[in-house]
Amino acid sequence: MQPMGSAPLLDISHLAIGFGGQNAVHDLSLTIAPGQTAGLVGESGSGKSLTSLAVLGLLPSGASASGSIRFAGQPLLGQPEPVLRRLRGREIAMIFQEPMTALNPVMTIGDQIAEAILAHPDTLPHLAAHRSTVRERVVQALQQVALPEPERRLRHYPHQFSGGQRQRILIAMALVHRPRLLIADEPTTALDVTVQAQILELLAQLRHTHNLAMLFISHDLAVVARACNQPGDTVTVLQQGRVVEQAPARQLFLAPGHAYTQRLLASVPTLRTDRLQPLATLRQA
Ligand SMILES: Nc1ncnc2c1ncn2[C@@H]1O[C@H](COP(=O)(O)OP(=O)(O)OP(=O)(O)O)[C@@H](O)[C@H]1O
Ligand SMILES: [Mg+2]
């Protein structure tokens, strides 16, 4: 599933996740090379979030995982918490669906980004001693996601921003340590269609400038089509925890091979909106 010659950054092999005797994810394998996006799509409860949490070592208690997950060759499953903590936020970052709940409502966004920067002080030698350097990095982080007037806005609280701006702030925070892998779990689902398109555009830009590998999760195939639009991008379709289709993105959208994928495509609720466009473009290509 990866272009020849580029070793996978993330390599998930035969992953199974269960609760007691019940498996919620069965035999999932996928790889993501640097700079590539892998889309993971499926209806509610199909196991998308559990898969991403397994990568981060954040599975809920009671869940057990088998198979293997390797990041840059290093096995992740079963690693002790301090090892995973060192990777989280630094090598592997994550953004979620609801930017409001992921932000602390009583802390300015500048302080929250500074906190993210200082969470891995060893990556920033002597930085902790220099408040102005931290502030500079906060401003840079906000500039990078095109938040207007960052110097002024960093003193504001989450409720003073729109939903799209809050997601930009979370993306800024996720990228402060220049992670190699970004896991985006329904990052645009809570946003209206226009803002959704802007965030997807921003992610596409950042992906390019950072050579970011991305695991992009959505129940909405139209959104996945937009996120996975570069050569080498792949899409994995999950149904009740099982992979029913896995293919290069372009191929999957041109000719969905599985009835479930066809149903997902047909049932995209926003087909009458401008999100039809990426699908139309792909069909023409
Ligand atoms: N803490 C838990 N305890 C027991 N079962 C769980 C738990 N978390 C998830 N599951 C089971 O795993 C399945 C997959 O959950 P998951 O959150 O990965 O779905 P999802 O694809 O992310 O869905 P959504 O689109 O609604 O976010 C669920 O249907 C549920 O049955
Ligand atoms: Mg989920």
Side-chain angles (χ1 to χ4, degrees):
M1 296 298 286
Q2 81 243 14
M4 297 241 291
S6 61
L9 182 64
L10 184 71
D11 187 349
I12 301 177
S13 181
H14 303 295
L15 176 68
I17 302 169
F19 294 90
Q22 288 286 82
N23 265 10
V25 173
H26 309 256
D27 196 23
L28 183 146
S29 299
L30 68 84
T31 61
I32 314 178
Q36 267 188 1
T37 297
L40 189 57
V41 68
E43 51 197 6
S44 185
S46 56
K48 307 181 296 293
S49 294
L50 283 178
T51 301
S52 66
L53 293 172
V55 174
L56 291 157
L58 293 174
L59 282 173
S61 59
S64 61
S66 64
S68 90
I69 302 177
R70 285 174 175 272
F71 177 77
Q74 180 187 0
L76 295 185
L77 278 186
Q79 286 290 338
E81 179 57 22
V83 173
L84 294 169
R85 206 178 302 132
R86 219 171 303 130
L87 289 171
R88 249 184 253 135
R90 180 152 101 183
E91 302 270 356
I92 307 175
M94 181 147 188
I95 53 174
F96 298 93
Q97 173 171 343
E98 202 2 276
M100 194 60 202
T101 51
L103 288 163
N104 181 341
V106 296
M107 198 172 170
T108 66
I109 60 126
D111 283 349
Q112 294 186 61
I113 298 173
E115 201 170 70
I117 292 170
L118 294 168
H120 293 286
D122 52 316
T123 62
L124 308 156
H126 315 303
L127 186 66
H130 299 287
R131 287 188 56 144
S132 62
T133 316
V134 176
R135 191 173 180 282
E136 222 165 83
R137 299 262 322 220
V138 171
V139 171
Q140 277 168 11
L142 291 172
Q143 277 166 345
Q144 173 180 247
V145 296
L147 194 85
E149 301 182 82
E151 285 93 351
R152 188 172 73 84
R153 299 300 312 254
L154 60 80
R155 290 193 295 270
H156 291 175
Y157 292 86
H159 73 268
Q160 295 172 282
F161 296 89
S162 69
Q165 286 173 329
R166 285 196 284 265
Q167 193 58 285
R168 281 176 196 270
I169 291 161
L170 283 173
I171 293 169
M173 216 183 277
L175 298 183
V176 287
H177 295 290
R178 308 222 170 276
R180 290 193 279 171
L181 173 67
L182 179 67
I183 298 178
D185 190 350
E186 306 266 8
T188 64
T189 304
L191 306 172
D192 72 51
V193 173
T194 316
V195 179
Q196 189 166 66
Q198 291 163 359
I199 295 293
L200 289 170
E201 177 59 32
L202 173 68
L203 286 173
Q205 268 172 33
L206 292 169
R207 166 189 180 184
H208 188 67
T209 50
H210 294 258
N211 198 31
L212 257 184
M214 194 152 44
L215 178 62
F216 189 96
I217 296 175
S218 180
H219 65 281
D220 184 339
L221 260 177
V223 170
V224 172
R226 270 211 173 164
C228 304
N229 63 357
Q230 297 297 306
D233 291 352
T234 61
V235 176
T236 300
V237 182
L238 275 183
Q239 182 182 28
Q240 292 176 10
R242 291 177 201 276
V243 175
V244 294
E245 186 162 3
Q246 188 170 56
R250 177 170 287 245
Q251 182 186 319
L252 184 124
F253 293 113
L254 281 171
H258 194 279
Y260 176 70
T261 312
Q262 288 162 6
R263 275 209 307 282
L264 279 179
L265 267 173
S267 70
V268 167
T270 48
L271 274 187
R272 259 166 254 101
T273 71
D274 66 354
R275 277 196 282 161
L276 179 59
Q277 230 203 303
L279 292 170
T281 312
L282 274 166
R283 288 210 179 96
Q284 284 155 14

